[in-house]
Amino acid sequence: MDLGLADRTVLVTGGTSGVGLATVRALLAEGARVATCARTPDSLTALADGLGAGPDRLLTGATDIRDADATAAFVRRAADHFGGLDGLVNNAGQSRMKRLAETTAEDWRDELQLKFAGVLHTLHPALPFLRASDAAAVVNINAVLAKEPSPRLITTSAARAGILNLSASLARELAPDGIRVNSVCLGLIDTGQWTRRHAASGTERSYEEWQAELAADRGVALGRLGRADEVAYAVLTLLAPRASYITGTALDVCGGVARSAA
């Protein structure tokens, strides 16, 4: 099925690895034009070289999304370069593995700043361009932690819950402007960190055996970790003009790990 993304322009934050990279690849395969940013110039150079896409299809920029001015400048640059903006994928972020007793006030500030900056610092400057699109869509990459918090990731769980709430509010506020806002909530996705953990564990079990045991321990119904490309397919579905009546939803891509009824 043609998703209708050909010649659309989508900005993806954190597009040099994991889910972001898989999303950039999938968008280019659909014929979209992509702008993506990351903090390190070297990773962006490697991305452009690896994908082989020319400047008419791919624009990159070294940007820290915690810097509002720098992020706004990249958003404007992308819109000017491609003549507009139809989609935004807020993907940049990380998890903080700490319990309450281990966290500091700085941990809380940094986590909330990163998560909310990841959405708001791109969204605000993108709004004029999204309003001009006839099929504008925003997808916020989140996690099932937003609905099922873990005490091992207390700051990340709280921040994720806030972003889920924010996304629902944005969906209602921006609907009159024709801008759809949805979330994709991830479970255990193998973006490279798990293969590294397997290698560092010193186990004699194969990676397939090791990840199956991990999935069982975490209650993943499908018995394995997810792949970044499986997330990208969900992201593209929500970005697509064919999903024009979907807004304010949170799509779980978690292999059945979610235990909440909602």
Side-chain angles (χ1 to χ4, degrees):
M1 177 186 292
D2 180 4
L3 294 176
L5 289 168
D7 298 322
R8 297 283 181 179
T9 299
V10 180
L11 190 151
V12 181
T13 63
T16 58
S17 63
V19 169
L21 175 56
T23 300
V24 169
R25 281 184 174 139
L27 284 166
L28 291 172
E30 288 291 323
R33 296 181 289 255
V34 182
T36 191
C37 59
R39 284 182 291 178
T40 56
D42 289 347
S43 66
L44 292 164
T45 300
L47 171 75
D49 291 344
L51 294 176
D56 59 325
R57 298 286 311 286
L58 178 65
L59 174 73
T60 64
T63 307
D64 187 335
I65 57 167
R66 292 170 294 187
D67 185 330
D69 292 338
T71 304
F74 180 70
V75 171
R76 290 191 295 267
R77 178 184 164 209
D80 290 344
H81 183 80
F82 289 123
L85 192 61
D86 301 292
L88 174 62
V89 180
N90 289 309
N91 167 72
Q94 61 187 15
S95 295
R96 192 181 299 265
M97 187 72 74
K98 286 187 176 182
R99 293 179 179 270
L100 178 62
E102 302 165 332
T103 60
T104 65
E106 184 176 357
D107 287 330
W108 284 101
R109 284 193 299 269
D110 287 349
E111 189 71 7
L112 293 170
Q113 165 69 359
L114 176 62
K115 295 297 186 293
F116 282 88
V119 174
L120 297 174
H121 287 175
T122 53
L123 180 64
H124 281 304
L127 281 177
F129 307 107
L130 292 173
R131 289 188 177 109
S133 171
D134 63 352
V138 177
V139 177
N140 294 326
I141 305 301
N142 207 319
V144 293
L145 286 170
K147 294 178 281 187
E148 298 178 5
S150 167
R152 292 176 291 187
L153 295 135
I154 190 167
T155 58
T156 299
S157 295
R160 292 293 191 192
I163 291 300
L164 190 63
N165 188 293
L166 174 65
S167 298
S169 297
L170 291 172
R172 294 187 65 85
E173 182 168 342
L174 299 179
D177 295 327
I179 302 172
R180 298 183 297 106
V181 182
N182 293 291
S183 301
V184 172
C185 294
L186 311 185
L188 294 179
I189 306 299
D190 187 357
T191 57
Q193 61 171 321
W194 296 109
T195 51
R196 290 192 293 271
R197 290 188 186 185
H198 170 257
S201 70
T203 181
E204 295 182 358
R205 289 169 294 171
S206 69
Y207 179 65
E208 288 70 24
E209 294 171 327
W210 183 85
Q211 72 158 314
E213 184 174 301
L214 173 65
D217 177 66
R218 301 293 179 88
V220 181
L222 291 182
R224 64 173 177 84
L225 305 187
R227 302 189 309 271
D229 64 290
E230 292 175 310
V231 180
Y233 299 145
V235 174
L236 265 62
T237 297
L238 293 174
L239 285 173
R242 290 185 179 274
S244 55
Y245 202 55
I246 302 175
T247 194
T249 192
L251 177 59
D252 290 349
V253 183
C254 61
V257 74
R259 290 173 289 279
S260 60

